[in-house]
Amino acid sequence: MIDKFDSKQIYCRKLGHHLGFHYCRLEKGDLPCSKIVDCWFDTIPIEEFLQSHFTKEQLSAILNPPQSKIATIFDLIEQAKNRDKE
Ligand code: SF4
């Protein structure tokens, strides 16, 4: 059952207060928060839970989020440097 751990509580470092697993597994609408493994690995069998309830594609989207803003900025700087050389 997908709601098996919903009553479990944890302190969320991102939001600064306690919340239930229910929030974490639906943080992105139908998908869990990208931090769900880091936050829950020592409380519940989170990897088994994710594999049971989400597809590989969904897990990839969750656990390998798009490039960070910092990485994007470095890429833009590199592209600008290359343009200057041309
Ligand atoms: S999984 Fe996300 S929403 Fe849940 S406690 Fe961790 S950071 Fe907060």
Side-chain angles (χ1 to χ4, degrees), residues 34-47:
S34 60
K35 302 280 184 205
I36 198 163
V37 175
D38 291 343
C39 293
W40 288 94
F41 77 94
D42 61 351
T43 309
I44 61 173
I46 187 62
E47 291 183 3

Side-chain angles (χ1 to χ4, degrees), residues 10-15 17 19-21 23-25 27 32-40:
I10 197 168
Y11 181 79
C12 176
R13 287 170 287 161
K14 194 161 80 172
L15 299 177
H17 57 80
L19 47 75
F21 183 72
Y23 179 89
C24 302
R25 73 174 172 84
E27 199 248 2
C33 175
S34 60
K35 302 280 184 205
I36 198 163
V37 175
D38 291 343
C39 293
W40 288 94

